[in-house]
Every structure is written in C-alpha cells, then in structure tokens.
Amino acid sequence: MMKNPAPWSKRPKRFGIKPLLFALLWLAGSFCFLVDGVVDAKEDVFANDGLHDPQGPSFGELQRPDEAFVGFPTDTVGNKVRWVKALRDGAINPRTNIVPETKIKILDMDLILGNTGDNAFVLFPHRAHTEWLDCANCHPEPFKEKYGTSGIKMGAILEGKFCGKCHGAVAFPLTECARCHSVKPDTFRGKFGVQPVAKH
Amino acid sequence: MFNPLQNTNRRISPSVLFLVAVTFLLPASSGMAEYADVVLNRHAEAEGVRPVIYPHWFHRIRFRCKVCHHELGFEMKVGANDITMAAILDGKFCGMCHNEETAWGLEHCHRCHSGLPGLKTGIRGGDKAGGPGDY
C-alpha cells in the first residue's frame, strides 16, 4: 500500500504540534485537579452527586454523610465507615425496635464454610449479623439452618444472592474478598460448620 | 492520494486528545452518590414531584436493619414494596415513622422528594458497588 515515502517526510511536522497540544492539555488537566482538590475541601458532597437536585427546596436541610460520619471508625469502601466497630465501640447506638414487645434475638455462633476451592475458608459470624439483623432476614431464605445445606456459590453471591443480597448493596462490597475468606486453610485444624463458642 | 498511515493518524489524534481531556476533566465534574442510597421513582415523577432519595446511611445510624426489614416489614429488595404516597399518608412504609412521633411529619415533602429529574428506581453505590450483583 505504501508506495509513496512522502508521508514520512511530513511526519516530523505533525509530531511537532502533537506533544505541544498534549502538554497543554496535561497542564489544563492538572490545573483542574488542583482546583478540584482546593474546592473539594469545602465542596458540598450533594452538589454534584448525580442524585440530589440542588434546586430542591429542602436541599440545604439534609444532612451530609461526611458531616455525620465525623468520629466514626473509618473504612476504605462502601460508606467508608466500619459499621460493626462503630456499633461495638458505641460511636452509634441505633434502635433495635419501635414496638416495645418486639423480641430482640442475638446469636453468638461462628461458622466456618469450607467449600471455597483453593481460597481461604469463609468465617461467618452470627453475632455481628444479628446485632443488625433478625434471623428472619436470612432463615429460612436464603440460608437453611444447617451447615452446608444452602448451596452457597460465589457466582450466585456475585449475582446478588446469598451473602450478595446485602454485601454489595448496603453492607461492605464484594470486592473485599479477605473479609469473608479470612481463615487460612494451611493453619486451620478444626472442623467446618459451627465453631466452639469463642471466649468473650 | 490515499495514505492509510496519514489518515489514521489524523483520525486518531483528536480522539486521543479528547480521551486525555475527559480523563482529566471527569474527576472535577462528577461526584458520587453515597453508598446504598435508594432512588424511588416508580410514581413520583410521573405524578409531578421529584424522585425520592432514601438514604440507608442516615437511617442505619438511628435504626438497625431489623427495625425496617423485620419489625416494620420492608422487603429487602428494591421495588418489592408497593410504596405509594397514599399508603404513606395512611401510616404505612415511610409513614410508620414519619408521623411527627418517631420522625418529622409528611408535610416536609421536599426532604424525601429531593432527587434530580430522570433518576431510575434502584440502589446506588458511589464506591465500587452499585447494588446486588454489581460490585
């Protein structure tokens, strides 16, 4: 196709302008970052979140998460709050019920789920969950009350089933493999399923 | 005179520059919805009011999940609850708390109806996750 060498002789000209344009844009870009960083310090997180309408009459009345979370234990994902720790440390004390006669059930029972292929086993803590949730949020759907009988699969979790019903929606996201896959197979000597009661 | 090299170069360079520009400009112009915010817009906009934004983060500071998803009976699936303004005014759903007793009353329309026009019903996540199955 390239029978004419002429284009090569023209190239230096194009290369002459391109790096210049690139550098200019880069500069402009870095400037945006700079301005962004400066503005960020006091920027309203709702102003550009693609969700809240700044024209809404109550726009100013709503609380902003960054203001609400001051002093909470921090996280790198999700709401950027370690919710289990926030509850345990007393940073928050959310109500457990509205009607006085509602029964509050907390279960202190860890399970180790061992069907994880080459990955670390999964430690499922009932206590951390039942402090927030009721048994009925998980039993009998999506989990049967007997170890190893629910057919939990990672693929289904990633589709929003089983643990993925909450993790990836409201609880910490599924990118955090190691928070669930936390038991190293080479050091674990116990049995799968219900673990002996931990000391507290 | 057809010269593929020259032509492709001419065509690519503006788009490359555009991409570079976009990469730099994006972080400056778009924020992120807070993780687990729920947009409810099955009826709102069609009936002439702003879409509703329900913030999980705000409510979970005050209530455990079990209060809404067990005691008060909210199904844990966006759209699975038939939430309408009539039902709320009747003391159901949000109206179980937004009754001037547990929380402020329903006259503060715009605190709930606070969303941008055109939002779709669903759960949002600014950080990595956009909802179940969409980590």
Side-chain angles (χ1 to χ4, degrees):
Chain A
M1 285 247 102
M2 256 174 42
K3 50 186 181 192
N4 186 357
W8 293 103
S9 57
K10 277 188 191 158
R11 284 194 76 174
K13 211 165 142 201
R14 280 202 308 279
F15 278 141
I17 184 82
K18 245 177 22 187
L20 210 105
L21 267 175
F22 192 83
L24 249 152
L25 255 150
W26 191 289
L27 252 151
S30 328
F31 184 68
C32 287
F33 254 137
L34 229 119
V35 172
D36 189 35
V38 173
V39 174
D40 256 358
K42 40 188 156 51
E43 205 195 337
D44 181 348
V45 294
F46 281 180
N48 265 319
D49 65 355
L51 210 62
H52 290 90
D53 185 352
Q55 308 300 317
S58 295
F59 181 73
E61 292 166 34
L62 301 174
Q63 195 183 21
R64 279 28 178 186
D66 54 338
E67 289 163 15
F69 296 161
V70 171
F72 290 8
T74 56
D75 200 348
T76 50
V77 292
N79 295 120
K80 313 275 164 70
V81 172
R82 277 271 177 179
W83 288 109
V84 172
K85 196 169 187 315
L87 191 65
R88 295 240 170 98
D89 294 354
I92 58 172
N93 185 18
R95 289 177 68 169
T96 55
N97 56 308
I98 289 183
V99 187
E101 44 277 6
T102 300
K103 246 189 124 221
I104 309 303
K105 289 167 278 181
I106 307 262
L107 178 63
D108 197 358
M109 176 172 90
D110 286 349
L111 273 92
I112 291 181
L113 312 178
N115 205 354
T116 54
D118 295 337
N119 276 50
F121 304 136
V122 172
L123 189 139
F124 175 82
H126 267 94
R127 186 175 187 92
H129 284 90
T130 52
E131 276 166 1
W132 288 99
L133 296 149
D134 190 84
C135 318
N137 293 129
C138 290
H139 299 305
E141 277 297 322
F143 302 113
K144 300 197 176 77
E145 277 186 50
K146 185 158 180 25
Y147 167 71
T149 60
S150 310
I152 313 170
K153 284 276 174 297
M154 199 59 223
I157 295 173
L158 290 164
E159 281 168 19
K161 307 208 175 73
F162 303 113
C163 324
K165 183 177 163 185
C166 301
H167 291 278
V170 179
F172 69 78
L174 296 171
T175 45
E176 310 311 293
C177 316
R179 280 195 207 169
C180 293
H181 293 273
S182 61
V183 181
K184 299 259 176 307
D186 45 350
T187 49
F188 179 65
R189 294 281 169 274
K191 277 198 200 132
F192 295 146
V194 182
Q195 299 304 298
V197 183
K199 348 93 209 118
H200 273 286
Chain B
M1 251 236 290
F2 177 62
N3 183 327
L5 228 184
Q6 194 175 14
N7 277 344
T8 36
N9 257 349
R10 276 230 181 106
R11 235 176 274 141
I12 281 174
S13 63
S15 56
V16 164
L17 288 176
F18 176 73
L19 272 176
V20 170
V22 162
T23 336
F24 283 123
L25 291 171
L26 253 187
S29 59
S30 75
M32 286 289 200
E34 182 63 29
Y35 188 72
D37 275 1
V38 175
V39 171
L40 299 167
N41 194 14
R42 295 196 299 171
H43 317 285
E45 219 177 330
E47 304 278 339
V49 289
R50 287 185 176 78
V52 172
I53 301 171
Y54 165 76
H56 262 107
W57 66 268
F58 181 95
H59 288 85
R60 74 180 292 186
I61 293 174
R62 292 156 177 83
F63 303 94
R64 297 174 203 234
C65 329
K66 56 175 100 176
V67 171
C68 289
H69 291 296
H70 179 60
E71 198 180 24
L72 301 182
F74 279 93
E75 292 289 336
M76 241 184 215
K77 189 162 180 34
V78 168
N81 305 278
D82 192 14
I83 311 177
T84 61
M85 202 59 225
I88 294 170
L89 287 163
D90 212 27
K92 303 197 179 86
F93 303 113
C94 323
M96 289 187 278
C97 294
H98 288 275
N99 52 10
E100 281 169 39
E101 205 174 307
T102 308
W104 39 259
L106 295 171
E107 70 277 14
H108 300 285
C109 316
H110 302 291
R111 291 185 187 166
C112 294
H113 293 278
S114 64
L116 285 164
L119 292 176
K120 288 207 173 61
T121 297
I123 195 157
R124 303 302 156 105
D127 193 83
K128 290 185 182 171
D134 190 12
Y135 74 103

